Amino acid sequence: MVTLDFDKMNGLIPAVVQDYKTNEVLMLGFMTPAAWTATLSTGKATFFSRTRKALWEKGKTSGHVQLVKEIRVDCDNDTILLLVEQVGGAACHTGHRSCFFKKIENGAVKIIGKPVFDPREVYHK
Amino acid sequence: MVTLDFDKMNGLIPAVVQDYKTNEVLMLGFMTPAAWTATLSTGKATFFSRTRKALWEKGKTSGHVQLVKEIRVDCDNDTILLLVEQVGGAACHTGHRSCFFKKIENGAVKIIGKPVFDPREVYHK
């Protein structure tokens, strides 16, 4: 098995999440060794929330979990790439398919696409 | 213009690099404010090398630069996504198209694809 290098970032490794069908990059999260182990054992993308300082199974609240279809590791073993099936069709808490919905164009921000869901309905806030 | 959040990672922001035609994720680098400014002004992906602690224009040594076709920023303004044209056809210093050439399969590492170039010829080592 591969030995990941968690030392470079004080216990964290960035994990890029990509849609396994469209190859769209959905988000980037960070994993601790515990998040990595949970991802492997459950088959659901699990990260470490830097703001909440806790393990975070993506979609636990919204139901929009990410079913891991393939796992790749980079040349230096310090970055993870997950190819996932995004349940609910959107990875972003704003309701957008991808968290990368802001395009920089001539120095300005242009929003790409429309939200798939209404965050107020999903998170009941 | 968007104000990026460099504070979360002590001055660094992760930048995912994706092939603008195939959507293949090529690599992940980190940017400082100076790397971000250089990327915007030169149109070539520029990162901060954490090992060398210096600005690093990707491909400066090998000639395999990354021409930036599109820039996206995520919901939290703390991650960048670059869509690039990879000159030379390979992003990885090993000669592989993508740095993510190691697939985890049943706990074992499986190498995907063959190197596009021979690193010994490109880096003259």
Side-chain angles (χ1 to χ4, degrees):
Chain A
M1 184 55 168
V2 68
T3 304
L4 297 178
D5 183 356
F6 285 96
D7 292 340
K8 268 188 192 161
M9 268 185 66
N10 300 319
L12 294 177
I13 281 190
V16 180
V17 184
Q18 192 177 21
D19 185 291
Y20 84 115
K21 275 192 185 159
T22 65
N23 276 349
E24 186 176 11
V25 175
L26 300 175
M27 58 172 279
L28 180 130
F30 289 90
M31 286 192 191
T32 50
W36 170 241
T37 307
T39 299
L40 290 176
S41 62
T42 64
K44 293 176 189 167
T46 307
F47 306 97
F48 180 79
S49 165
R50 294 179 297 167
T51 36
R52 285 185 283 122
K53 302 208 187 302
L55 225 56
W56 159 46
E57 186 189 300
K58 169 74 185 160
K60 191 99 178 181
T61 309
S62 63
H64 297 174
V65 295
Q66 295 177 332
L67 306 175
V68 178
K69 297 291 183 180
E70 197 175 317
I71 301 177
R72 296 196 196 152
V73 171
D74 82 331
C75 48
D76 296 329
N77 296 330
D78 63 9
T79 313
I80 296 162
L81 176 66
L82 298 181
L83 283 91
V84 307
E85 178 187 339
Q86 177 62 64
V87 174
C92 190
H93 70 285
T94 59
H96 284 270
R97 273 192 58 71
S98 162
C99 288
F100 297 95
F101 60 87
K102 291 188 272 190
K103 182 176 170 180
I104 308 296
E105 221 172 54
N106 302 319
V109 175
K110 188 182 166 188
I111 305 296
I112 310 171
K114 288 193 175 157
V116 174
F117 65 78
D118 181 346
R120 287 168 300 184
E121 286 173 19
V122 169
Y123 298 104
H124 308 293
K125 280 180 184 168
Chain B
M1 183 54 166
V2 68
T3 304
L4 296 178
D5 183 356
F6 285 96
D7 292 339
K8 268 189 193 162
M9 268 185 65
N10 299 319
L12 294 177
I13 280 190
V16 180
V17 183
Q18 192 177 21
D19 185 291
Y20 83 115
K21 276 190 183 160
T22 65
N23 275 350
E24 186 176 11
V25 174
L26 300 175
M27 58 171 279
L28 180 131
F30 290 89
M31 288 191 188
T32 51
W36 170 241
T37 306
T39 299
L40 289 176
S41 63
T42 65
K44 292 175 190 167
T46 306
F47 307 96
F48 180 79
S49 165
R50 295 180 296 168
T51 37
R52 285 185 282 120
K53 302 208 184 304
L55 225 56
W56 159 47
E57 186 190 299
K58 169 74 186 161
K60 192 99 177 182
T61 309
S62 63
H64 297 175
V65 296
Q66 296 176 331
L67 306 174
V68 177
K69 298 290 182 179
E70 196 175 318
I71 301 177
R72 297 196 195 152
V73 170
D74 82 331
C75 47
D76 296 328
N77 296 330
D78 63 9
T79 312
I80 296 162
L81 176 66
L82 298 181
L83 283 90
V84 307
E85 178 187 339
Q86 177 62 63
V87 174
C92 190
H93 70 286
T94 59
H96 284 269
R97 273 192 59 72
S98 162
C99 289
F100 297 95
F101 61 85
K102 291 187 273 189
K103 182 175 169 182
I104 308 296
E105 220 171 55
N106 302 320
V109 176
K110 188 184 166 184
I111 305 297
I112 310 172
K114 289 193 175 156
V116 174
F117 66 76
D118 181 347
R120 287 169 300 185
E121 286 175 17
V122 169
Y123 297 104
H124 307 294
K125 280 181 184 169

